[in-house]
Amino acid sequence: MNNTLTSASTIIGLAKKTIEIERDAITHLLTLVNEDFANAINCIITSKGRVVISGIGKSAIIASKIVATLNSTGTPAIFMHAADAIHGDLGTVQDNDVVICISKSGSTPEIKMLIPLLKRGNNKLIAMTGNPDSFLAKQADFLLNTFVKEEACPNGLAPTTSTTAQLVMGDAMAIVLLELKGFSSADFAKYHPGGALGKKLYLRVADIIKNNQVPQVQLDTEVKQVIVEISEKMLGVTAVLDKEKIIGIITDGDIRRMLNIHDNIKGLTAADIMSADPKTVNTDTLAIKALEVMQQKGISQLLAIEDSAYKGVIHLHNLINEGIL
């Protein structure tokens, strides 16, 4: 093995060549999306079962990814390895399921053994292959042609361009199905309740501020007590109220500016240093929307209200901690 360092220009050139080959293959894929693709989509939409996707080798990995994408976008799907199917897992396929077999050549031994077993039932078979003259393509009800001129691998051995084409075709199917089913962001949130993605879709201001303290002072609160309130509540801010009504806001930045101006703070009150008409957000607002407001206004916190009543503070740090930013 040659461990000699290679020039950056050579490395970059090889990387770009790989990307260009795969780009051209994806562009060519546009010419291969035809009526069979449309019929396959309609077959899946009208089916009362799931989509069972099978493959061997690298195509099996792509099949697993397509299954994950379909499941997350509202089309129930399950993966079945072609080799395992002929050794007991064929029972994965139920009566109303649609089966998709993925194979570059369409003629691997496992596929040749699997297809006749599938054909014994009434399941519709969709072939995703780069060889329209293959055994798989000829036996299928619908053909998704993923032909590629060449692999990015210079030896033409490692599946690269071909698996990229399969992946793109699978994404095209998933998005078409999503669009036709009217699958919304709210539906998407149901399938992604965890992690940052789910939180962006369902986490609301109320869910965040319930874990925060609620800093507040009155108009006539002395500045010394204002500083104590901001410090104790640990949000870098306090709301200023006139009884129950929000009148203003004081941030730790306001405190610093006050100390720069006044040598003696005795006698100063919240009313003297607050900023009037603070930005607010309703508690039922999505947290991601609150973040957008902060970014637009160049601020790091918002006062949360519910029916005009002050409920607390949502801070930029809350959103960072939740993984939304």
Side-chain angles (χ1 to χ4, degrees), residues 25-308:
I26 293 172
T27 300
H28 179 65
L29 211 58
L30 290 169
T31 67
L32 304 180
V33 177
N34 55 19
E35 218 171 282
D36 250 21
F37 180 93
N39 291 335
I41 292 295
N42 280 322
C43 176
I44 293 171
I45 287 178
T46 57
S47 170
K48 295 180 180 179
R50 307 157 303 171
V51 177
V52 179
I53 309 182
S54 188
I56 196 80
K58 301 299 187 296
S59 293
I61 297 172
I62 298 301
S64 293
K65 190 276 177 185
I66 296 174
V67 164
T69 302
L70 289 174
N71 279 324
S72 69
T73 52
T75 300
I78 189 169
F79 171 69
M80 178 181 69
H81 198 283
D84 293 335
I86 59 178
H87 292 288
D89 281 5
L90 193 59
T92 300
V93 182
Q94 302 298 304
D95 289 343
N96 293 314
D97 293 341
V98 175
V99 181
I100 301 176
C101 279
I102 304 178
S103 171
K104 177 188 177 182
S105 70
S107 299
T108 60
E110 293 85 359
I111 293 295
K112 284 187 172 181
M113 290 182 66
L114 176 60
I115 299 307
L117 299 175
L118 291 172
K119 297 291 284 186
R120 291 187 309 189
N122 294 318
N123 304 90
K124 291 295 184 180
L125 176 62
I126 300 171
M128 185 185 294
T129 178
N131 183 3
D133 296 320
S134 65
F135 178 81
L136 172 59
K138 296 296 185 183
Q139 294 295 316
D141 297 290
F142 310 106
L143 169 64
L144 305 180
N145 191 347
T146 53
F147 171 79
V148 297
K149 182 180 178 181
E150 61 180 324
E151 297 286 6
C153 169
N155 299 316
L157 298 175
T160 46
T161 313
S162 58
T163 48
T164 298
Q166 293 167 355
L167 191 64
V168 171
M169 187 67 79
D171 284 344
M173 293 181 67
I175 299 306
V176 169
L177 289 166
L178 177 152
E179 292 273 8
L180 295 179
K181 291 181 177 183
F183 193 79
S184 67
S185 58
D187 296 319
F188 200 79
K190 295 177 185 177
Y191 294 92
H192 299 78
L197 181 59
K199 289 178 180 179
K200 287 181 180 181
L201 294 168
Y202 77 82
L203 195 67
R204 299 185 182 275
V205 170
D207 301 318
I208 293 179
I209 65 169
K210 66 182 180 182
N211 298 318
N212 290 341
Q213 298 189 71
V214 186
Q216 54 186 294
V217 297
Q218 293 294 313
L219 276 170
D220 58 356
T221 300
E222 291 186 359
V223 163
K224 182 178 179 181
Q225 188 56 43
V226 171
I227 296 173
V228 171
E229 182 72 1
I230 292 175
S231 177
E232 287 184 347
K233 300 301 171 63
M234 299 182 295
L235 289 166
V237 65
T238 183
V240 181
L241 307 180
D242 182 5
K243 296 181 180 179
E244 300 296 326
K245 183 180 179 182
I246 296 175
I247 299 297
I249 188 172
I250 301 173
T251 67
D252 49 11
D254 293 323
I255 297 297
R256 288 192 297 272
R257 284 186 287 273
M258 174 201 67
L259 294 174
N260 283 331
I261 296 172
H262 299 277
D263 293 327
N264 184 2
I265 64 173
K266 189 174 182 179
L268 291 177
T269 66
D272 297 319
I273 64 172
M274 73 177 190
S275 297
D277 300 321
K279 302 301 178 186
T280 62
V281 63
N282 286 307
T283 55
D284 64 351
T285 302
L286 286 173
I288 187 66
K289 294 296 182 182
L291 173 61
E292 291 175 4
V293 173
M294 290 183 197
Q295 291 174 328
Q296 289 169 2
K297 303 298 182 182
I299 56 180
S300 58
Q301 60 273 116
L302 290 166
L303 301 184
I305 60 172
E306 185 177 316
D307 296 327
S308 299

